Amino acid sequence: MTLSVQTVAVIGSGIMGAGIAEVAASQGHPVLVYDIDAGAIARAIEGIRSRLASRVARGKLSAEASEKTLSRLTPVTDIQALAAADLVIEAASERMEVKKALFAQLAEICPPQTLLTSNTSSISITAIAAGVLHPERVAGLHFFNPAPVMKLVEVVSGLATSNEVVEQLCDLAIRWGKQPVRCQSTPGFIVNRVARPYYAEAWRALEEQVAAPQDLDAALREGAGFPMGPLELTDMIGQDVNFAVTCSVFNAFWQERRFLPSLMQQELVLGGRLGKKSGQGVYNWRSDKPTVGWYEAVSDGDSAGYSEKRSDGVTKIDDLLLIDTQGETAQALAARYACPVVVIDRLEGDVAVIASADSNPDSATRKAVHYLQQRGKRVLQVADYPGLIIWRTLAMIINEALDALQKGVAREEDIDTAMRLGVNYPRGPLAWGEQLGWQRVLILLENLQRHYGEERYRPSSLLRQRALLESSYES
């Protein structure tokens, strides 16, 4: 089946189809842009023309290169014309029945050596290939939006996909300036599976009235280094799109609780509050965003003259305990230790999220805030919530990545690369787990599972293994 890919066909002229067509054409390939609607193809090509013109105006592209790219695009409304393609990339409707019928038709039209790929973000490649002639040539080739900019491509194998086809597609992606990652066909593949907790834990915190949306977003954006907070990100993606992917993954995993969709997000979708594109979502995009509730500076007089003792994630200040979160509430810890407790959620940055036990006097919280501010921390106070925001979210992402690794979805390096390049995480989740400590991640999840009594927070068996190895090295 080895062949040199020359002519590329792209099915679908929406945002993703147009973006993929632009990528292929800019790399020198003749590109057949297929859609049943000729007007849609014309609009897609005009959009490409506009983007290229913008790059020319900014000095990022020569006028000659722009014209050559556009000259390689051929509109096609007769599917029989795709017989000339060496590679077909389908970027049409995200509906299984549509894809199956389309690929069965392509298999009849195209020669056996033509590579047939889908840009689907979550539909099974195995299912798409079932019943197709020569199913070994069917694979996923999942680009990320905007395709001309984003480096990541998930190359997805179904049960029948040949290794040779995967290698060909990976080599092609590299020649196109992309970074391919290999993965098996499983709901959500790598990125849309491992990223689910980033959204899910934010929705849960919002539903439990832990903090205002802007505070939850600030905690993860400024406290953990994510480029956008999860709630503002769902507004940018579109609440309808993000909710649909969550539902798809949830149902594909037989209603696994850790993928449970949010009723609050469903309400936004039902109400037409789809995010930035509709002007209203979690945030009102027609006005300024609300202010983050950073704690005001606490004066020296509130906390002067205290004694301090630190050990193993616990700082004792007079009769107050500052405890790094391990998944228990401040109130549970205050009852255990019979003293005021403030729980802290922090990484290595300058942000500390705190929760105070309800039984604490106000002076204890102010003392904790002063202590943290004196050490250069910006402080956000949220409701007393097990695991708080940063650590809880990271633990769930790490746990999901480990589950995907253990089940053979992808290699460790591909999972970390996918999350860094596909959704711009500051670190790959498995590298993050190594840095933060497997034991602490395990303890936090066990405490969350104990608190809620839910399978949602069940630690993966691979996390338990890594925690045991870590403890044996330490001993």
Side-chain angles (χ1 to χ4, degrees), residues 11 29 44 71 78 88 95 106 150 169 173 181 188 201 249-250 257 264 271 282 309 314 349-350 364 409 416-417 466:
I11 297 177
H29 296 274
S71 71
D78 180 1
V88 178
R95 292 166 54 198
L106 288 170
M150 298 295 282
L169 292 173
V181 292
E201 291 307 309
V249 173
F250 175 65
R257 292 285 296 183
M264 182 174 283
V282 174
K309 183 179 180 182
V314 178
D350 70 342
V409 173
D416 275 356
T417 297
R466 292 198 172 190

Side-chain angles (χ1 to χ4, degrees), residues 307-318 320-324 342 344 346 371 375:
S307 63
E308 174 190 339
K309 183 179 180 182
R310 287 182 286 176
S311 66
D312 296 331
V314 178
T315 303
K316 190 173 191 300
I317 305 173
D318 298 334
L320 166 68
L321 294 180
L322 283 178
I323 302 178
D324 290 344
V342 170
I344 313 170
R346 59 184 171 185
Y371 175 86
R375 283 147 185 82

Side-chain angles (χ1 to χ4, degrees), residues 33-259:
V33 184
Y34 170 79
D35 201 297
I36 57 174
D37 182 353
I41 302 174
R43 289 189 294 274
I45 293 176
E46 188 55 39
I48 295 170
R49 187 186 307 277
S50 177
R51 287 194 296 274
L52 293 175
S54 175
R55 292 188 66 201
V56 171
R58 290 181 285 118
K60 302 290 186 182
L61 185 71
S62 70
E64 181 184 8
S66 172
E67 287 305 313
K68 283 185 176 179
T69 296
L70 290 167
S71 71
R72 297 182 187 114
L73 299 171
T74 302
V76 172
T77 55
D78 180 1
I79 198 169
Q80 297 293 328
L82 303 192
D86 302 308
L87 167 66
V88 178
I89 306 172
E90 173 272 321
S93 170
E94 280 289 276
R95 292 166 54 198
M96 174 71 79
E97 64 275 16
V98 172
K99 292 188 188 295
K100 283 181 70 69
L102 181 58
F103 273 73
Q105 189 176 11
L106 288 170
E108 295 285 351
I109 294 168
C110 298
Q113 70 270 22
T114 301
L115 305 180
L116 304 180
T117 68
S118 175
N119 183 60
T120 181
S121 60
S122 59
I123 292 176
S124 168
I125 299 302
T126 297
I128 291 172
V132 168
L133 288 171
H134 304 290
E136 68 279 357
R137 58 176 164 163
V138 178
L141 199 61
H142 180 216
F143 292 77
F144 288 75
N145 191 32
V149 176
M150 298 295 282
K151 292 291 186 185
L152 185 72
V153 176
E154 290 179 320
V155 179
V156 187
S157 298
L159 285 178
T161 308
S162 76
N163 291 333
E164 183 184 15
V165 165
V166 170
E167 291 303 320
Q168 281 185 261
L169 292 173
C170 287
D171 289 345
L172 182 66
I174 291 168
R175 291 201 299 275
W176 287 4
K178 302 300 182 183
Q179 175 61 61
V181 292
R182 297 165 175 81
C183 61
Q184 298 301 313
S185 183
T186 188
F189 308 142
I190 301 173
V191 172
N192 278 318
R193 173 180 180 166
V194 177
R196 298 308 350 130
Y198 188 59
Y199 313 114
E201 291 307 309
W203 286 114
R204 183 151 201 172
L206 200 60
E207 288 169 348
E208 295 191 21
Q209 303 181 68
V210 172
Q214 67 271 20
D215 292 349
L216 295 171
D217 278 341
L220 287 157
R221 184 181 62 245
E222 301 185 44
F226 291 97
M228 294 185 75
L231 298 171
E232 61 185 341
L233 182 54
T234 58
D235 264 358
M236 291 295 292
I237 294 168
Q239 296 299 341
D240 52 342
V241 174
N242 185 261
F243 182 68
V245 173
T246 298
C247 290
S248 172
V249 173
F250 175 65
N251 288 319
F253 274 100
W254 309 113
Q255 290 78 49
E256 171 69 51
R257 292 285 296 183
R258 67 183 187 273
F259 301 117

